[in-house]
């Protein structure tokens, strides 16, 4: 009986490993996903509205976890228009020599991708979609870093 249970667990583990592994994206796809993440982050750091706009799906859902006494599971919400406005106002504009950001592509599966972006102020987890060959950010979940 113990051997049968162990065999079941091993089989389940193999199945999970098989479905969890994805093929590596080709270099052009990886470069395009990274370019979108750079437009998003570097565009904000430069105050470049065109770059940020290019990176965003018009129906972007940008969210962060918030603690509100009157709301359970509170979420802050930001639209693409709001992020573009903040960029226009220079909310994150930073001299290039002070840029400290990393972009890590976590996964690419055909026409969707997940990317982690870190700046001195924030960490964003971006979900992207490829629409007619163009990668854009559809969802972003972020949090402010402790200073």
């Amino acid at each position: 009986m113990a051997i049968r249970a162990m065999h079941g667990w091993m089989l389940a583990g193999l199945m999970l490993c098989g479905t969890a592994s994805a093929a590596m994206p080709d270099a052009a796809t990886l470069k395009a996903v990274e370019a979108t993440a750079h437009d998003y982050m570097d565009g904000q750091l430069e105050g470049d509205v065109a770059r940020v706009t290019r990176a965003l799906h018009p129906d972007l859902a940008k969210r962060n976890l918030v603690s509100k006494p009157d709301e359970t599971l509170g979420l802050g919400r930001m639209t693409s228009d709001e992020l573009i406005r903040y960029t226009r106002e220079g909310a994150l504009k930073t001299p290039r020599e002070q840029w400290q950001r990393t972009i890590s592509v976590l996964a690419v599966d055909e026409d969707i991708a997940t990317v982690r972006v870190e700046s001195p102020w924030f960490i964003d987890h971006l979900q992207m979609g490829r629409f007619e060959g163009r990668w854009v950010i559809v969802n972003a979940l972020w949090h402010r870093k402790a200073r």
Side-chain angles (χ1 to χ4, degrees):
M1 179 125 165
I3 293 174
R4 182 173 290 172
M6 189 167 76
H7 177 71
W9 281 109
M10 287 174 54
L11 182 58
L14 288 172
M15 289 171 56
L16 283 174
C17 289
T19 58
S21 64
M24 285 295 295
D26 61 79
T29 298
L30 192 57
K31 185 176 179 179
V33 168
E34 290 172 341
T36 299
H38 277 285
D39 280 344
Y40 171 81
M41 177 53 59
D42 297 354
Q44 291 179 72
L45 295 174
E46 291 171 338
D48 186 334
V49 172
R51 285 189 79 181
V52 173
T53 301
R54 180 173 58 222
L56 305 179
H57 188 282
D59 197 25
L60 170 78
K62 184 171 167 99
R63 307 216 187 297
N64 67 314
L65 309 180
V66 295
S67 192
K68 294 182 179 177
D70 59 332
E71 188 174 342
T72 303
L73 302 175
L75 287 175
R77 294 165 178 85
M78 186 184 305
T79 65
S80 60
D81 289 341
E82 290 170 315
L83 182 56
I84 291 165
R85 185 184 81 233
Y86 291 137
T87 302
R88 185 176 292 111
E89 294 170 356
L92 286 183
K93 196 166 183 178
T94 305
R96 187 175 288 271
E97 62 274 4
Q98 294 176 20
W99 288 13
Q100 296 173 9
R101 82 300 187 233
T102 59
I103 292 172
S104 305
V105 176
L106 304 177
V108 178
D109 296 291
E110 295 186 28
D111 58 354
I112 61 172
T114 303
V115 179
R116 182 181 186 275
V117 178
E118 183 172 355
S119 74
W121 308 278
F122 304 100
I123 295 175
D124 290 70
H125 285 228
L126 309 175
Q127 292 179 319
M128 297 184 190
R130 181 170 40 194
F131 298 87
E132 298 176 0
R134 181 174 156 236
W135 288 95
V136 293
I137 301 163
V138 177
N139 296 308
L141 184 63
W142 65 279
H143 78 89
R144 186 177 313 272
K145 289 171 69 173
R147 297 293 258 158

